[in-house]
Short mmCIF file of all heavy atoms in Angstrom, two decimals:
data_model
loop_
_atom_site.label_atom_id
_atom_site.label_comp_id
_atom_site.label_asym_id
_atom_site.label_seq_id
_atom_site.Cartn_x
_atom_site.Cartn_y
_atom_site.Cartn_z
N ALA A 1 8.41 3.25 -5.83
CA ALA A 1 7.75 2.70 -4.64
C ALA A 1 8.37 3.25 -3.35
O ALA A 1 9.49 3.73 -3.34
CB ALA A 1 7.86 1.17 -4.65
N ILE A 2 7.58 3.11 -2.29
CA ILE A 2 8.04 3.34 -0.93
C ILE A 2 8.04 2.01 -0.22
O ILE A 2 7.06 1.27 -0.29
CB ILE A 2 7.13 4.33 -0.16
CG1 ILE A 2 7.06 5.68 -0.89
CG2 ILE A 2 7.62 4.50 1.28
CD1 ILE A 2 6.00 6.59 -0.30
N ARG A 3 9.16 1.67 0.40
CA ARG A 3 9.23 0.39 1.10
C ARG A 3 9.52 0.65 2.58
O ARG A 3 10.42 1.42 2.93
CB ARG A 3 10.36 -0.47 0.49
CG ARG A 3 10.04 -0.94 -0.88
CD ARG A 3 11.21 -1.74 -1.52
NE ARG A 3 10.96 -1.96 -2.92
CZ ARG A 3 11.18 -1.06 -3.90
NH1 ARG A 3 11.63 0.12 -3.60
NH2 ARG A 3 10.90 -1.35 -5.15
N TYR A 4 8.78 -0.06 3.42
CA TYR A 4 9.00 -0.05 4.86
C TYR A 4 9.48 -1.45 5.22
O TYR A 4 8.74 -2.42 5.01
CB TYR A 4 7.74 0.30 5.62
CG TYR A 4 7.23 1.71 5.29
CD1 TYR A 4 6.28 1.90 4.27
CD2 TYR A 4 7.68 2.78 6.02
CE1 TYR A 4 5.81 3.16 4.00
CE2 TYR A 4 7.20 4.07 5.72
CZ TYR A 4 6.28 4.26 4.71
OH TYR A 4 5.83 5.52 4.44
N LEU A 5 10.69 -1.54 5.71
CA LEU A 5 11.29 -2.87 5.94
C LEU A 5 11.69 -3.02 7.42
O LEU A 5 12.23 -2.10 8.02
CB LEU A 5 12.54 -3.06 5.08
CG LEU A 5 12.32 -2.86 3.57
CD1 LEU A 5 13.67 -2.83 2.82
CD2 LEU A 5 11.40 -3.94 3.01
N GLY A 6 11.40 -4.20 7.96
CA GLY A 6 11.77 -4.53 9.33
C GLY A 6 12.00 -6.02 9.48
O GLY A 6 11.79 -6.79 8.53
N ASP A 7 12.36 -6.42 10.64
CA ASP A 7 12.60 -7.84 10.91
C ASP A 7 11.27 -8.60 10.85
O ASP A 7 10.42 -8.44 11.72
CB ASP A 7 13.29 -8.02 12.27
CG ASP A 7 13.74 -9.43 12.50
OD1 ASP A 7 13.95 -10.19 11.53
OD2 ASP A 7 13.87 -9.79 13.70
N GLY A 8 11.06 -9.41 9.84
CA GLY A 8 9.82 -10.16 9.65
C GLY A 8 8.69 -9.35 9.07
O GLY A 8 7.51 -9.77 9.11
N PHE A 9 8.96 -8.18 8.51
CA PHE A 9 7.92 -7.31 7.98
C PHE A 9 8.43 -6.56 6.75
O PHE A 9 9.56 -6.03 6.76
CB PHE A 9 7.48 -6.31 9.03
CG PHE A 9 6.45 -5.30 8.57
CD1 PHE A 9 5.12 -5.61 8.61
CD2 PHE A 9 6.83 -4.04 8.09
CE1 PHE A 9 4.15 -4.71 8.14
CE2 PHE A 9 5.89 -3.13 7.67
CZ PHE A 9 4.54 -3.44 7.71
N ALA A 10 7.61 -6.49 5.71
CA ALA A 10 7.94 -5.65 4.54
C ALA A 10 6.62 -5.10 4.01
O ALA A 10 5.63 -5.82 3.87
CB ALA A 10 8.64 -6.46 3.46
N MET A 11 6.57 -3.81 3.75
CA MET A 11 5.40 -3.18 3.14
C MET A 11 5.87 -2.33 1.98
O MET A 11 6.80 -1.53 2.10
CB MET A 11 4.65 -2.31 4.16
CG MET A 11 3.39 -1.66 3.56
SD MET A 11 2.31 -0.85 4.73
CE MET A 11 3.19 0.66 5.02
N THR A 12 5.22 -2.55 0.80
CA THR A 12 5.56 -1.82 -0.39
C THR A 12 4.33 -1.05 -0.85
O THR A 12 3.25 -1.66 -1.01
CB THR A 12 6.06 -2.74 -1.52
OG1 THR A 12 7.19 -3.51 -1.04
CG2 THR A 12 6.44 -1.99 -2.74
N ALA A 13 4.49 0.23 -1.09
CA ALA A 13 3.41 1.07 -1.59
C ALA A 13 3.85 1.60 -2.93
O ALA A 13 4.89 2.23 -3.06
CB ALA A 13 3.12 2.23 -0.62
N THR A 14 3.02 1.34 -3.98
CA THR A 14 3.30 1.87 -5.31
C THR A 14 2.19 2.82 -5.70
O THR A 14 1.02 2.61 -5.37
CB THR A 14 3.40 0.74 -6.34
OG1 THR A 14 2.21 -0.05 -6.28
CG2 THR A 14 4.62 -0.14 -6.07
N GLN A 15 2.57 3.89 -6.40
CA GLN A 15 1.60 4.88 -6.78
C GLN A 15 0.63 4.36 -7.79
O GLN A 15 1.00 3.64 -8.71
CB GLN A 15 2.35 6.12 -7.33
CG GLN A 15 1.39 7.28 -7.58
CD GLN A 15 2.16 8.52 -8.05
OE1 GLN A 15 3.35 8.48 -8.29
NE2 GLN A 15 1.43 9.61 -8.17
N GLY A 16 -0.61 4.71 -7.65
CA GLY A 16 -1.65 4.33 -8.58
C GLY A 16 -2.97 4.21 -7.86
O GLY A 16 -3.02 3.96 -6.66
N PRO A 17 -4.07 4.52 -8.52
CA PRO A 17 -5.35 4.47 -7.85
C PRO A 17 -5.66 3.09 -7.31
O PRO A 17 -5.30 2.07 -7.94
CB PRO A 17 -6.34 4.88 -8.91
CG PRO A 17 -5.69 4.67 -10.19
CD PRO A 17 -4.20 4.77 -9.95
N CYS A 18 -6.30 3.05 -6.15
CA CYS A 18 -6.59 1.77 -5.52
C CYS A 18 -7.95 1.87 -4.84
O CYS A 18 -8.26 2.83 -4.17
CB CYS A 18 -5.54 1.46 -4.45
SG CYS A 18 -5.78 -0.09 -3.59
N SER A 19 -8.77 0.85 -5.05
CA SER A 19 -10.07 0.73 -4.39
C SER A 19 -10.06 -0.52 -3.55
O SER A 19 -9.57 -1.57 -3.93
CB SER A 19 -11.21 0.63 -5.43
OG SER A 19 -12.42 0.33 -4.80
N ASP A 20 -10.63 -0.42 -2.33
CA ASP A 20 -10.64 -1.59 -1.44
C ASP A 20 -11.71 -2.60 -1.82
O ASP A 20 -11.80 -3.66 -1.25
CB ASP A 20 -10.80 -1.17 0.01
CG ASP A 20 -12.13 -0.45 0.30
OD1 ASP A 20 -13.09 -0.60 -0.48
OD2 ASP A 20 -12.22 0.27 1.31
N GLY A 21 -12.55 -2.28 -2.80
CA GLY A 21 -13.57 -3.22 -3.29
C GLY A 21 -14.85 -3.19 -2.46
O GLY A 21 -15.80 -3.81 -2.86
N MET A 22 -14.85 -2.48 -1.34
CA MET A 22 -16.06 -2.44 -0.50
C MET A 22 -16.68 -1.06 -0.43
O MET A 22 -17.77 -0.90 0.08
CB MET A 22 -15.73 -2.93 0.93
CG MET A 22 -15.31 -4.38 0.96
SD MET A 22 -15.21 -5.01 2.61
CE MET A 22 -16.93 -5.15 3.04
N SER A 23 -15.99 -0.05 -0.89
CA SER A 23 -16.52 1.31 -0.86
C SER A 23 -16.18 1.99 -2.18
O SER A 23 -15.46 1.45 -3.02
CB SER A 23 -15.88 2.08 0.32
OG SER A 23 -14.54 2.37 0.08
N ASP A 24 -16.69 3.17 -2.33
CA ASP A 24 -16.42 3.96 -3.55
C ASP A 24 -15.16 4.79 -3.38
O ASP A 24 -14.83 5.56 -4.31
CB ASP A 24 -17.61 4.85 -3.90
CG ASP A 24 -18.82 4.05 -4.30
OD1 ASP A 24 -18.66 2.94 -4.84
OD2 ASP A 24 -19.93 4.54 -4.06
N THR A 25 -14.50 4.65 -2.28
CA THR A 25 -13.29 5.51 -1.99
C THR A 25 -12.11 4.99 -2.80
O THR A 25 -11.87 3.80 -2.88
CB THR A 25 -12.99 5.49 -0.49
OG1 THR A 25 -14.13 5.94 0.21
CG2 THR A 25 -11.81 6.40 -0.18
N ILE A 26 -11.38 5.95 -3.32
CA ILE A 26 -10.14 5.62 -4.08
C ILE A 26 -8.97 6.19 -3.29
O ILE A 26 -8.99 7.35 -2.88
CB ILE A 26 -10.18 6.23 -5.51
CG1 ILE A 26 -11.41 5.76 -6.29
CG2 ILE A 26 -8.89 5.92 -6.27
CD1 ILE A 26 -11.46 4.29 -6.56
#
């Protein structure tokens, strides 16, 4: 994973296909 960490914020991105559920974009 890639993690972006800050005061009051954390974002984790893990590899793998992902669809937003509203479009055909992966």
Side-chain angles (χ1 to χ4, degrees):
I2 300 171
R3 291 177 190 80
Y4 298 93
L5 305 170
D7 189 22
F9 177 85
M11 181 170 78
T12 303
T14 55
Q15 187 176 7
C18 181
S19 172
D20 62 21
M22 295 189 74
S23 70
D24 293 331
T25 303
I26 303 296

